[in-house]
Amino acid sequence: MEALLNLLKGAAPMLATVVAGPLGGKAVSMIAEKFGVEDTVEAVAKAIAGDPEATQKLAEIDLAQFR
């Protein structure tokens, strides 16, 4: 989880806050869907780290549903 949070802090700080909170599981699922990977923290972290367009993809995730 720490690796994922560190990646998100640099690319999408607000999303990192959501992932670290009580709705983290839902947020990880949404990120996994966006990147087309398995719904696990490890798979999501690997996808973000290996995708040069990760920042753009993360910015497209609607954070309003986490309020």
Side-chain angles (χ1 to χ4, degrees):
M1 179 66 97
E2 191 66 31
L4 176 58
L5 289 175
N6 286 335
L7 287 166
L8 290 174
K9 285 177 188 175
M14 293 295 291
L15 195 51
T17 301
V18 174
V19 169
L23 297 175
K26 182 177 179 183
V28 170
S29 295
M30 290 185 67
I31 298 168
E33 184 177 327
K34 186 73 172 175
F35 283 81
V37 297
E38 185 181 351
D39 185 4
T40 66
V41 170
E42 295 79 15
V44 169
K46 184 176 179 180
I48 291 170
D51 190 334
E53 296 178 8
T55 301
Q56 177 61 35
K57 289 179 182 178
L58 292 169
E60 294 170 357
I61 295 174
D62 181 13
L63 296 177
Q65 58 196 319
F66 296 106
R67 293 183 185 169

